[in-house]
Amino acid sequence: MILDIFFPNRCIHCNRIIDGDLLVCNLCFEQIHFTHFNFFEENYIKEKCKLLFPIKNAFALMKFEKENLSRKIIHELKYKSREKAGKILAEWTTERLDFKKEKPDVLVSVPLHPKKLKERGYNQLHLFTETLSRFYGIPFSHNLIKRNHYSKAQALKDKQHRLETQNTFSITENITDKHILLIDDVFTTGNTLASIAWEILKARNNKVSVLVIAMDE
């Protein structure tokens, strides 16, 4: 296409010209710090979640380190209108996450407030979640969780404000006996996921697992 000639896709890290369906070149891909966590075993993110709410399993794709490539990738996904990055990240996830015979019942991503969704134009987690849904054959819901309050980005808040998540979320329908996989982009304090998890766990016999694209250590 003409646009590809005049505006070629470039690696977000080194600026090399790359195929249009890629985020980084092969050389820079080797610099990404993947976690290699086992979803069904104890790992760092599961230990952090256990301090906040009862959790069944947990997985993080990458480490979210200062000045690391993963931080650039998340920034592209959230703030650079690179919604298609979600599909690439989902493909990286499927190469490293095997649910074996014990799949969650539903995939649920952390929602944006309608005002934030209008400002950004898309939820950065929707395409990621939908791609995983197709690959694993697990239903997803973008409407099960409702965000009740508009707030500025987590990255712009101080630690105290990030802890203030009471009544931030609510469940839009009755759910029982379900294993919900909560999906978020970055795990920082874990309080956003905890707020949603407790809403889900209020209902009888529900279980919660967590999947994040990156985790901040």
Side-chain angles (χ1 to χ4, degrees):
M1 294 178 63
I2 294 177
L3 286 178
D4 294 330
I5 296 174
F6 291 100
F7 303 99
N9 188 40
R10 294 181 179 274
C11 173
I12 64 172
H13 191 52
C14 71
N15 210 38
R16 287 188 181 92
I17 295 176
I18 55 177
D19 290 345
D21 58 351
L22 298 177
L23 275 176
V24 296
C25 67
N26 290 334
L27 290 175
C28 291
F29 181 81
E30 298 300 322
Q31 300 180 39
I32 300 173
H33 294 169
F34 293 106
T35 67
H36 306 292
F37 287 162
N38 187 312
F39 182 70
F40 297 100
E41 297 177 359
E42 295 296 314
N43 56 57
Y44 184 78
I45 189 170
K46 184 175 180 180
E47 292 173 358
K48 299 289 284 186
C49 289
K50 284 168 68 174
L51 299 174
L52 301 170
F53 59 92
I55 185 168
K56 183 172 177 59
N57 299 305
F59 179 83
L61 176 64
M62 304 180 294
K63 296 179 181 179
F64 194 65
E65 300 166 331
K66 187 175 182 180
E67 304 303 326
N68 187 266
L69 180 52
S70 62
R71 191 174 291 265
K72 288 186 178 180
I73 292 171
I74 296 295
H75 195 267
E76 289 287 316
L77 175 67
K78 294 181 70 171
Y79 305 117
K80 295 284 188 171
S81 299
R82 290 286 291 267
E83 183 180 9
K84 289 184 179 179
K87 182 176 183 294
I88 298 170
L89 288 162
E91 290 169 351
W92 294 353
T93 301
T94 60
E95 293 168 358
R96 294 163 177 81
L97 174 59
D98 184 358
F99 288 123
K100 301 176 182 177
K101 296 181 180 179
E102 191 177 351
K103 293 182 181 180
D105 295 311
V106 185
L107 308 181
V108 177
S109 55
V110 173
L112 297 176
H113 187 273
K115 182 178 178 181
K116 179 66 67 64
L117 182 60
K118 184 176 181 180
E119 290 174 354
R120 187 172 296 172
Y122 64 99
N123 183 315
Q124 72 273 12
L125 295 172
H126 280 183
L127 186 56
F128 178 81
T129 301
E130 291 161 14
T131 304
L132 294 181
S133 174
R134 287 191 295 272
F135 181 86
Y136 293 115
I138 303 172
F140 68 87
S141 174
H142 293 327
N143 301 313
L144 178 64
I145 309 297
K146 176 184 176 183
R147 186 183 286 267
N148 298 319
H149 308 295
Y150 174 83
S151 62
K152 59 186 177 181
Q154 286 285 86
L156 301 178
K157 298 180 182 180
D158 59 32
K159 185 174 181 180
Q160 180 60 36
H161 286 155
R162 289 200 300 269
L163 294 174
E164 297 172 357
T165 54
Q166 294 87 349
N167 302 315
T168 301
F169 301 96
S170 58
I171 305 296
T172 62
E173 59 187 78
N174 293 325
I175 51 170
T176 57
D177 301 304
K178 296 294 184 182
H179 179 192
I180 307 295
L181 180 64
L182 288 182
I183 297 174
D184 203 359
D185 46 26
V186 179
F187 183 100
T188 48
T189 65
N191 287 284
T192 295
L193 289 169
S195 296
I196 298 173
W198 281 114
E199 292 298 319
I200 294 171
L201 293 169
K202 286 178 182 178
R204 187 164 51 108
N205 294 332
N206 286 324
K207 295 176 288 188
V208 171
S209 290
V210 164
L211 165 60
V212 298
I213 299 173
M215 65 171 300
D216 192 346
E217 298 183 338

